[in-house]
Amino acid sequence: MTMLREARLRVTRPRLSVLDFLEQHPHADADTIARAARAGLGKVSTQAIYDILGALTEAGLVRRIEPAGSPARYELRVGDNHHHLVCRSCGAIADVDCATGIRPCLHASDDHGYDIDEAEVIYWGTCPACRAGRPAPATAPAD
């Protein structure tokens, strides 16, 4: 509740539901979040969830990532310029800290005059479960 108030957003049950779900399931997509919200709250439209995610993202409480070929994913880990690993096989996503410290990727070899404030790096590969031929956990694509 405090983070919503500090961001000057109204505290509502749907917003709290989205934040609670993302705390337990980072990298979830909007449809997965909407299903979870409906399970806990009853009737909540998918559009309402998109609106909530938009407001939370704009307020800096949620980060939106968009791996190629995948729906947008959302997470609570914001402000540290971390990166992501994505499994090409099952779609599982894992966080990766910057390899050389805090925000080193903000120094492009040629910034073309831009004032760079964020870098987004996505590493692609095959997760250990897929390499071993085991099915990934059922929640892997959504968290």
Side-chain angles (χ1 to χ4, degrees):
M1 282 197 278
T2 303
M3 63 191 308
L4 288 171
R5 287 189 180 115
E6 287 175 354
R8 300 195 189 301
L9 294 173
R10 277 189 20 236
V11 177
T12 65
R13 288 182 61 221
R15 285 180 177 160
L16 291 173
S17 176
V18 167
L19 290 171
D20 287 344
F21 186 77
L22 286 174
E23 187 173 341
Q24 299 301 313
H25 305 278
H27 312 125
D29 62 65
D31 288 336
T32 302
I33 297 166
R35 281 193 300 277
R38 281 192 285 277
L41 300 173
K43 186 176 180 179
V44 178
S45 73
T46 301
Q47 184 58 53
I49 297 302
Y50 275 104
D51 292 345
I52 290 167
L53 289 167
L56 295 173
T57 300
E58 188 174 319
L61 301 177
V62 168
R63 181 177 178 191
R64 174 186 167 124
I65 62 167
E66 298 182 57
S70 173
R73 304 299 182 96
Y74 299 88
E75 65 182 344
L76 295 180
R77 188 173 170 186
V78 297
D80 67 349
N81 203 54
H82 70 281
H83 308 305
H84 296 92
L85 285 165
V86 180
C87 179
R88 289 185 189 277
S89 181
C90 69
I93 300 175
D95 289 335
V96 179
D97 292 330
C98 286
T100 58
I102 304 293
R103 303 170 72 97
C105 303
L106 299 184
H107 304 287
S109 59
D110 183 354
D111 65 18
H112 297 276
Y114 284 64
D115 182 13
I116 299 172
D117 61 15
E118 184 177 1
E120 187 170 302
V121 175
I122 297 180
Y123 299 97
W124 293 88
T126 306
C127 73
C130 289
R131 275 198 336 269
R134 298 186 313 263
T139 59
D143 61 54

